[in-house]
Amino acid sequence: MKKYLLASAATALMASAASAGGLDRSNQNSLVVFNDPGEVSFSFGVVTPNVTGRDTTTNTEYDAAKSYTQTALSFTGEINDQLTYTIAFDQPFGVDTSYNGDPTSDRLAGTLADVNTSAITGWLRYQVDPRFSVFGGVRAQRLGGTLALNGQAYAGSFAGLEGGRVIGGYVAGAAQQGSTDALTVLGTPEFRTILGGIATGQTASLDQADLATVNTALNNISGVSVPVGSLTLNSGSAAISTGQTVAGNTAGPTGTFVSNGGYRAELEDTWAMGYSLGAAYEIPDIALRVALTYNSEITHEGKTVESGVSSGGATTDITEVTTPQSINLDFQTGIAADTLLTAGVRWAEWGSFDVIPPMLNSDLADLDDSLRYTVGVARRFSDAFAGSATILYEAAQNDDNVSPLGPTDGLIGITLGGRYERDGFVFSGGLNYTWVGDADAGVRETDEAEFRDNTVVGLGFQVSYTF
C-alpha cells in the first residue's frame, strides 16, 4: 500500500507546486530517492496563471503573469541491498512576468522578468536499518534570463523622482550619465518626501533641515558638477526651481528612458553547484514515513549586459545571484485500509535572495521568506486505480506593497489526482486550482498597480516504468 498510494499523492502535488511561494516551482522534491530500484519516471506540467491588476493612475488592466511548463525526469538504481542512487532533473525556480500597456503613460508597462533554472541532482541513499535511512545529493544548477524595468514608475525612479520630475536638472543629468549615486541617494523615500511635490518649472520652500539634506545629496552625486551651497536659505527658507538644466537629457516620462525601452538586464546562462542532505524514518507496516531534507543555497556569477541606465550604451559586467536555501519536511502514514494521509512543509529563504546588477546598483528582487503547507489524502479504489486530494496553503505576508515581478501575496489551492497501473507502467496526473492573495505592486514604497481576485490553474501528469 505504501508504494501504491505514494505515487498518486506525490504526482498530484506536482500541479500545485508550480504556483507556490516566491519563485518556487518544483519544491526541490527529494521523494524520488524512495523510488524502487530500476524505476524511471517522466513528469510534465502546464501552469496557466490569471493574474490581472489595474494601474493606479491610468486604470490600464495588466495581465502580468504568463503561462509556463514544468518538466522532471528521474532514474533510480541499486548499488547493493543498502545503497541506491537516483539521477534527477527538475526546474526548481523561475518567473515569467510581463506588463502590457503604454510605457509613456502607464506606471509599469514594459516591465518584465523571464528567468528560469534547471538542475541535475545525483542522489545516494543508504538504508541504515529497516526503519532509518540517510541520503544526500550534489546539484548542478543552471540560471539565466532577462529582466526589464519600464513605465512611468521606473522612469521617475531613474530620473531620481517619481513621475519623471527633475530637481534643478541635477537628478536627470546624473541618471543620464549613469551615476549610481543619483539612483541610490535621490531615489530614497526621504528625499522624495522633501521634493516629491515639485513639478517642472515650479518652486518650493524648504526649512533648514530639509535644505541640508538636499544639499548633501546633490553634492554627493558623482558625474555631475553641483556647486556647493547652490541651494541657499532665503529669509529662513530655500527656493528650488525645477526649470534649470545641466548636461544630459531628461530621463522623464516621454524622454529617452521609455522611448529606448527602459532598463534591461540580460543574465548570461551560468552553472553553479550546491547540495542536499536528508534523513528519513519509516515504519513500513503502516506506510509511515517522515523525511527531512535540507537544500543549500547556490550562488551564480555570470556576465550581465545592462542597458538603459547610461547614455553610453550597453555595459557588460558580472552579477551575483544566489538561489535560496530551503528545508522540506514530508510526512505520510496509513490511516485506514487502502487510505494514506500525506502532509508537507517547505521553508525557503527568499528574504536573502538578491539580484543587484553592477551598473543599476539596485536590488531587482524584494521577496519574503516563504512557508508553504500541504495536506492530502490518497485512497486505492481497485488494484489498478487510486485517487487523491491535496490542499496547499501559504499565508499572506500582508506587505504594504510587493515587487511588480511577483504581484501576489499568499495562496490557497486544491489538487485532485489519480493513478492508474497497467502492464508495468504507472500513469498519474493532477489538476490544481489555486486562489492567489491580493496585493499592491509597488516601486520605492509607492503603490503602482492593484491586483485582486486572481487564480492559477495547473495540470500535471507523470508516467513511470520499473525495469
Side-chain angles (χ1 to χ4, degrees):
M1 181 180 71
K2 174 188 68 173
K3 178 63 182 176
Y4 196 94
L5 292 175
L6 177 63
S8 175
T11 304
L13 286 173
M14 179 184 173
S16 60
S19 59
L23 311 181
D24 254 325
R25 288 191 171 173
S26 76
N27 288 332
Q28 296 179 302
N29 179 21
S30 64
L31 296 180
V32 292
V33 303
F34 299 101
N35 287 350
D36 288 333
E39 181 175 338
V40 60
S41 69
F42 168 75
S43 300
F44 181 79
V46 178
V47 179
T48 304
N50 178 31
V51 180
T52 60
R54 287 195 175 275
D55 191 292
T56 56
T57 300
T58 64
N59 282 325
T60 292
E61 183 170 312
Y62 296 121
D63 185 5
K66 304 306 175 186
S67 298
Y68 59 91
T69 60
Q70 286 286 102
T71 301
L73 294 164
S74 71
F75 173 76
T76 299
E78 184 178 60
I79 298 175
N80 56 44
D81 290 343
Q82 290 181 288
L83 188 63
T84 59
Y85 66 91
T86 301
I87 306 298
F89 168 87
D90 71 336
Q91 296 170 297
F93 311 112
V95 57
D96 286 284
T97 302
S98 180
Y99 285 80
N100 52 285
D102 182 359
T104 64
S105 59
D106 298 326
R107 304 301 297 169
L108 296 172
T111 296
L112 67 87
D114 181 9
V115 179
N116 295 281
T117 63
S118 57
I120 300 174
T121 307
W123 298 92
L124 286 175
R125 175 173 172 256
Y126 180 71
Q127 191 75 43
V128 180
D129 59 39
R131 293 193 173 185
F132 183 70
S133 62
V134 293
F135 51 90
V138 177
R139 178 175 290 116
Q141 179 177 274
R142 179 200 61 82
L143 179 147
T146 301
L147 295 161
L149 308 177
N150 208 350
Q152 292 307 287
Y154 289 108
S157 295
F158 277 75
L161 227 71
E162 182 186 80
R165 293 185 289 268
V166 293
I167 310 305
Y170 301 131
V171 178
Q176 194 67 19
Q177 294 180 38
S179 167
T180 56
D181 289 340
L183 300 179
T184 302
V185 178
L186 299 180
T188 62
E190 294 78 13
F191 197 83
R192 290 172 53 194
T193 298
I194 296 172
L195 300 176
I198 307 175
T200 302
Q202 295 181 348
T203 61
S205 295
L206 302 175
D207 59 23
Q208 181 79 51
D210 288 347
L211 174 66
T213 300
V214 174
N215 262 321
T216 298
L218 290 175
N219 285 293
N220 283 334
I221 299 175
S222 63
V224 175
S225 176
V226 181
V228 176
S230 59
L231 305 177
T232 58
L233 286 174
N234 180 12
S235 300
S237 65
I240 301 178
S241 171
T242 58
Q244 304 170 46
T245 59
V246 294
N249 297 320
T250 300
T254 58
T256 57
F257 181 83
V258 296
S259 63
N260 287 343
Y263 170 79
R264 193 174 185 90
E266 301 283 349
L267 305 177
E268 177 190 53
D269 283 358
T270 58
W271 286 88
M273 301 298 296
Y275 64 91
S276 294
L277 296 172
Y281 178 79
E282 299 174 90
I283 303 179
D285 290 344
I286 60 173
L288 182 140
R289 176 188 292 137
V290 181
L292 183 68
T293 308
Y294 170 77
N295 300 292
S296 74
E297 64 179 24
I298 298 180
T299 299
H300 295 258
E301 293 184 355
K303 292 181 180 179
T304 301
V305 179
E306 296 179 81
S307 58
V309 177
S310 171
S311 59
T315 300
T316 302
D317 210 330
I318 300 297
T319 297
E320 182 178 291
V321 179
T322 300
T323 56
Q325 63 178 342
S326 63
I327 297 174
N328 291 8
L329 177 63
D330 297 291
F331 171 83
Q332 69 169 55
T333 186
I335 56 175
D338 296 330
T339 303
L340 191 74
L341 172 69
T342 63
V345 180
R346 174 174 166 83
W347 169 81
E349 194 181 19
W350 287 106
S352 63
F353 174 70
D354 297 312
V355 182
I356 307 176
M359 192 169 185
L360 180 66
N361 195 33
S362 183
D363 192 1
L364 292 173
D366 183 14
L367 304 172
D368 295 315
D369 294 353
S370 66
L371 188 62
R372 184 179 60 258
Y373 305 88
T374 57
V375 61
V377 176
R379 180 169 178 79
R380 182 171 62 185
F381 296 102
S382 70
D383 290 342
F385 179 73
S388 66
T390 305
I391 294 175
L392 170 72
Y393 175 75
E394 186 171 312
Q397 301 291 334
N398 296 316
D399 290 340
D400 291 337
N401 54 53
V402 300
S403 169
L405 302 184
T408 63
D409 189 15
L411 57 85
I412 183 168
I414 184 168
T415 299
L416 300 178
R419 175 187 185 276
Y420 180 76
E421 183 175 356
R422 185 184 179 100
D423 299 329
F425 287 91
V426 178
F427 304 93
S428 306
L431 175 65
N432 167 261
Y433 192 89
T434 295
W435 295 264
V436 293
D438 297 343
D440 295 323
V443 177
R444 296 195 180 278
E445 301 181 9
T446 300
D447 294 346
E448 306 292 2
E450 298 177 346
F451 287 83
R452 301 289 185 269
D453 302 323
N454 290 310
T455 59
V456 178
V457 176
L459 176 65
F461 73 87
Q462 180 184 61
V463 58
S464 63
Y465 181 78
T466 301
F467 294 95

